[in-house]
Every structure is written in structure tokens, then in C-alpha cells.
Amino acid sequence: TDFLAACYRNPLSLAVQHNLSTIAFPAISTGIYGYPREEAAAVASQSIADFLATDSSLSQVRLVFFAQQDAAVFLTHQTF
């Protein structure tokens, strides 16, 4: 869980360091690596929300999905 959270936190930090205003993420590790979608959604949502609570430099964070069912799972865990 900590490793997956870092997969969101680190790129967010890099985006800010490079003065970017937007960033997009896939559903990290839920494809070929088989990470459980429900857990991944919770980790992604919490990691992004925690980052945005302390840094408002980014104007947009997008989550991009391969399949509709992936988006549905992530939308139920959205906290930001």
C-alpha cells in the first residue's frame, strides 16, 4: 500500500517541481499486475487528496481508465 501511494505522491511532487498545472494517472497496477481495484482506488484517492490538501499548485488531476468498470470502482472511492 505504501509503495502504491508513493506511485501517486512522487509524480504529483515532480509535476509541481516542474511547474506543471495538470497531471493524469492510469489505474496503477490494476492491470497486468492484478492489484485489487477496490484497494487501489482507495489508495489512489487518499494519496491524491492528501497531496492536494497541502499543495494547490495543480489545477487538474485526471484519472484515466481502460475500461468503464475500472472508472466505476474508482468513482466510488473518490475523496478529492
Side-chain angles (χ1 to χ4, degrees):
T1 303
D2 290 336
F3 180 77
L4 183 57
C7 290
Y8 289 94
R9 281 192 314 266
N10 293 338
L12 289 164
S13 294
L14 284 171
V16 169
Q17 288 175 17
H18 290 279
N19 298 314
L20 301 177
S21 60
T22 64
I23 189 169
F25 290 101
I28 297 173
S29 292
T30 61
I32 195 165
Y33 294 107
Y35 201 95
R37 285 183 180 95
E38 291 281 338
E39 185 177 339
V43 170
S45 183
Q46 192 62 56
S47 299
I48 293 168
D50 289 349
F51 184 88
L52 294 176
T54 62
D55 192 308
S56 61
S57 300
L58 296 171
S59 63
Q60 188 176 81
V61 177
R62 289 184 179 222
L63 297 173
V64 182
F65 304 98
F66 179 74
Q68 179 64 34
Q69 63 265 27
D70 295 337
V73 170
F74 274 72
L75 284 172
T76 63
H77 291 281
Q78 180 181 346
T79 59
F80 55 95

